Amino acid sequence: QVQLVESGGGSVQAGGSLRLSCVGSGYIFSTYCMAWFRQAPGKAREKVATISTAGAGSSTYYGDSVKGRFTISRDDAKNMVYLQMNGLKPEDTAMYYCAAANSPVCFLVSRFGSWGQGTQVTVSS
């Protein structure tokens, strides 16, 4: 049973930084595509970033709204995926979710089957 637990959210002023962490368990972490999504109140869920497995070159994807400011990374030895968020803006305020898909290559994933409970990020102006 896949379990994902996020941490690292909080409140920060515009221009600040946060690092989100997600630990996975119950599956072979290194073989899964990992991703971060976010959802703000009244808005659709948005894919923030994805990272493929090391065997697939650890290729990454970023949504246009976060390119150049956010960095996704993974540590397969620790079953962890991270989202480093720099230059935060008020529009980054959302619940952030970690997700996993049983595919080594993220761009082949049409649906993420496993989700964490989320961690809240609030950016004030």
Side-chain angles (χ1 to χ4, degrees), residues 36-80:
W36 287 97
F37 287 76
R38 68 185 182 186
Q39 188 165 22
K43 294 190 176 182
R45 187 171 60 195
E46 176 187 6
K47 185 189 297 181
V48 174
T50 68
I51 185 165
S52 295
T53 64
S58 301
S59 57
T60 57
Y61 157 89
Y62 296 97
D64 287 343
S65 60
V66 306
K67 279 180 184 175
R69 299 188 298 123
F70 290 11
T71 302
I72 188 171
S73 61
R74 64 190 298 160
D75 184 340
D76 290 342
K78 296 180 179 179
N79 285 9
M80 298 287 293

Side-chain angles (χ1 to χ4, degrees), residues 9-101:
S11 297
V12 65
Q13 289 193 325
S17 298
L18 283 173
R19 189 174 85 149
L20 305 184
S21 300
C22 171
V23 60
S25 61
Y27 66 108
I28 303 174
F29 184 88
S30 62
T31 66
Y32 276 54
C33 160
M34 298 299 298
W36 287 97
F37 287 76
R38 68 185 182 186
Q39 188 165 22
K43 294 190 176 182
R45 187 171 60 195
E46 176 187 6
K47 185 189 297 181
V48 174
T50 68
I51 185 165
S52 295
T53 64
S58 301
S59 57
T60 57
Y61 157 89
Y62 296 97
D64 287 343
S65 60
V66 306
K67 279 180 184 175
R69 299 188 298 123
F70 290 11
T71 302
I72 188 171
S73 61
R74 64 190 298 160
D75 184 340
D76 290 342
K78 296 180 179 179
N79 285 9
M80 298 287 293
V81 62
Y82 305 99
L83 186 68
Q84 178 67 44
M85 305 186 295
N86 298 329
L88 282 162
K89 304 175 181 180
E91 51 264 43
D92 294 319
T93 295
M95 185 71 79
Y96 283 72
Y97 298 92
C98 176

